[in-house]
Amino acid sequence: MKKTNLFLSFFNSEKAGGLVLLICTILSLLLANSSFSEEYLCIWHFPIANHPAEHWINDGLMAIFFLLIGLELEREVYIGELSKLKDAILPIFGALGGMLFPALLYLVFNFSTPTRSGFGIPMATDIAFAVGILSLLGNRVPLSLKIFLTALAVIDDLGAIIMIAVFYTKTIYFTNLLLSLSIFVLLLIMNRLKVKSLILYLIGGVFMWYFMLHSGVHATITGILLAFAIPFGDGGEDSTSYKLQSWLHFPVAFVVIPLFALCNTAISIGKDWMQIISEPYSLGILFGLTIGKPLGIVSFIFIAIKLKLTKLPKDVNWNQLIAVGFLGGIGFTMSIFITLLAFDDNQIINNSKFMILIASFISGAIGFVWLKKSLNSKKI
């Protein structure tokens, strides 16, 4: 019961966050293509301490987002849906297929081009948007389907984080990296010594973030490392991890992610927008998210079931699983974030963001309609 209540609390927070995210995205697109576009775009380039505002959002505030992701992942691993291998195999296989197929499809279009570095863009699932769309169908959606989608998205995020660290790190400054990791080790020792003062971990996290920022490895990785250094205990309401996770839900869902959305969807759409779709990287993103995601998720789960490694929950059928596969094609936050790391050309970055929005909308619409029909059907 405790696990279910924790999950429902998380699910409801993501549902509200998804709605806010949608509103911010629409607002940003409207402002970026209005008569106020120049003034609006200047906001995100406004210098703060020798860096534009968008830098502090993407490299600073997003570390807090990753900290929350890390805390949620930690909870899933210790006491949640990933704590038992038998329960975890279904979303793990789904996530693996949902990362591999989109990347391969992207490379089909971009293997011999300079934009092949964007293969990671269609690999991610935006948990807030996916859960938000799922919640539109209310209590008719089986709880196990909600849990599956959430676990899938969390594993997806972990895969994206590993990929960022491995493939999107260009130059490493080992002294700063060593200092950052040394602080991480110190925090782990504090954990083992049962030091529970949250402020000490957060201060250590700030220094770890600073050195990681100057190491060449993306600073947001600090959020994940810090999450696993913070004491989890029994995961109860009195644990340090639980308190921080509960506190972070509101600012992340209603401040950090909306700011990220406003900043990174400030896209000016020109009259030649149809030509953008024919670009290799655009086709890779489009087909990767709309086709690669559902195909990868469903096919890998089918293989896992045929190998008798796992089975579908009793209240979930294949039609519903296919629908969730399409919802997995909603990339948005992580896809845009990886776009910023994959490309240096601002035009390609903007065009890629535009394609992420189109592909995510198509995936979300198909997933919603498909799931609605499958829930209305009496066939199991």
Side-chain angles (χ1 to χ4, degrees):
M1 181 65 70
K2 179 179 174 183
K3 282 166 60 176
T4 302
N5 289 339
L6 282 170
F7 169 75
L8 289 175
S9 175
F10 167 73
F11 184 88
N12 289 330
S13 70
E14 293 297 329
K15 177 173 66 175
L19 179 61
V20 173
L21 199 53
L22 178 61
I23 292 170
C24 287
T25 301
I26 294 172
L27 176 63
S28 185
L29 284 170
L30 289 174
L31 287 172
N33 293 277
S34 70
S35 56
F36 305 103
S37 62
E38 189 173 336
E39 292 82 357
Y40 178 64
L41 294 174
C42 281
I43 293 174
W44 308 116
H45 298 293
F46 184 80
I48 303 173
N50 297 322
H51 291 289
E54 62 181 351
H55 169 82
W56 294 108
I57 293 171
N58 293 331
D59 285 9
L61 289 182
M62 284 301 284
I64 301 174
F65 165 75
F66 277 88
L67 172 58
L68 179 59
I69 291 294
L71 291 170
E72 290 163 352
L73 177 63
E74 181 185 41
R75 178 166 298 278
E76 289 296 316
V77 169
Y78 287 148
I79 62 173
E81 297 307 312
L82 304 179
S83 59
K84 295 179 181 178
L85 184 59
K86 181 182 176 183
D87 297 331
I89 285 177
L90 194 72
I92 286 175
F93 264 73
L96 287 174
M99 289 185 282
L100 181 61
F101 272 58
L104 290 175
L105 262 179
Y106 181 92
L107 289 174
V108 166
F109 292 97
N110 293 269
F111 188 74
S112 59
T113 70
T115 54
R116 60 180 175 275
S117 58
F119 70 91
I121 296 170
M123 292 173 69
T125 295
D126 189 283
I127 191 168
F129 262 140
V131 166
I133 290 178
L134 199 66
S135 69
L136 295 175
L137 295 167
N139 294 329
R140 290 185 296 162
V141 181
L143 179 60
S144 53
L145 197 65
K146 297 176 182 178
I147 292 173
F148 168 76
L149 177 60
T150 304
L152 176 82
V154 169
I155 298 167
D156 245 353
D157 285 338
L158 175 61
I161 291 158
I162 294 171
M163 187 177 56
I164 289 169
V166 174
F167 295 105
Y168 294 107
T169 297
K170 297 174 182 177
T171 303
I172 298 179
Y173 299 95
F174 287 99
T175 300
N176 288 326
L177 179 61
L178 184 61
L179 285 169
S180 182
L181 294 178
S182 296
I183 295 171
F184 174 57
V185 171
L186 178 62
L187 295 178
L188 289 177
I189 293 172
M190 288 169 53
N191 187 326
R192 296 294 293 176
L193 294 174
K194 300 189 184 303
V195 176
K196 295 183 179 180
S197 174
L198 181 58
I199 189 67
L200 292 178
Y201 288 97
L202 294 180
I203 291 172
V206 170
F207 281 101
M208 190 164 65
W209 172 84
Y210 176 82
F211 288 117
M212 191 70 80
L213 180 67
H214 294 87
S215 72
V217 178
H218 204 273
T220 51
I221 301 298
T222 307
I224 299 294
L225 296 178
L226 179 60
F228 279 87
I230 290 172
F232 185 80
D234 63 356
E237 295 183 10
D238 293 328
S239 69
T240 308
S241 176
Y242 184 97
K243 290 177 181 177
L244 181 59
Q245 183 179 346
S246 299
W247 186 85
L248 283 178
H249 271 305
F250 183 87
V252 168
F254 301 105
V255 179
V256 175
I257 296 301
L259 276 174
F260 178 83
L262 287 168
C263 171
N264 289 288
T265 57
I267 307 167
S268 297
I269 303 172
K271 295 179 181 179
D272 60 341
W273 66 270
M274 282 295 292
Q275 295 179 11
I276 296 173
I277 299 177
S278 63
E279 294 289 341
Y281 58 87
S282 297
L283 293 172
I285 293 170
L286 180 63
F287 286 102
L289 286 173
T290 60
I291 296 177
K293 269 291 181 181
L295 185 61
I297 290 170
V298 175
S299 62
F300 263 53
I301 288 176
F302 180 79
I303 291 170
I305 290 175
K306 283 297 180 182
L307 293 174
K308 297 184 178 179
L309 298 174
T310 186
K311 59 182 179 179
L312 287 183
K314 293 180 180 179
D315 55 348
V316 174
N317 59 45
W318 282 103
N319 248 343
Q320 294 165 354
L321 195 70
I322 292 171
V324 166
F326 278 105
L327 293 182
I330 303 173
F332 202 77
T333 306
M334 288 298 271
S335 292
I336 289 176
F337 189 79
I338 293 172
T339 298
L340 300 174
L341 303 177
F343 304 132
D344 296 318
D345 188 298
N346 286 331
Q347 189 62 48
I348 293 177
I349 289 173
N350 276 349
N351 292 348
S352 296
K353 289 178 182 178
F354 179 62
M355 288 310 303
I356 290 167
L357 294 180
I358 291 177
S360 295
F361 175 79
I362 293 171
S363 295
I366 294 174
F368 176 79
V369 172
W370 197 307
L371 185 57
K372 185 177 181 181
K373 286 187 176 181
S374 68
L375 291 173
N376 290 336
S377 173
K378 294 182 179 180
K379 295 181 180 180
I380 303 297

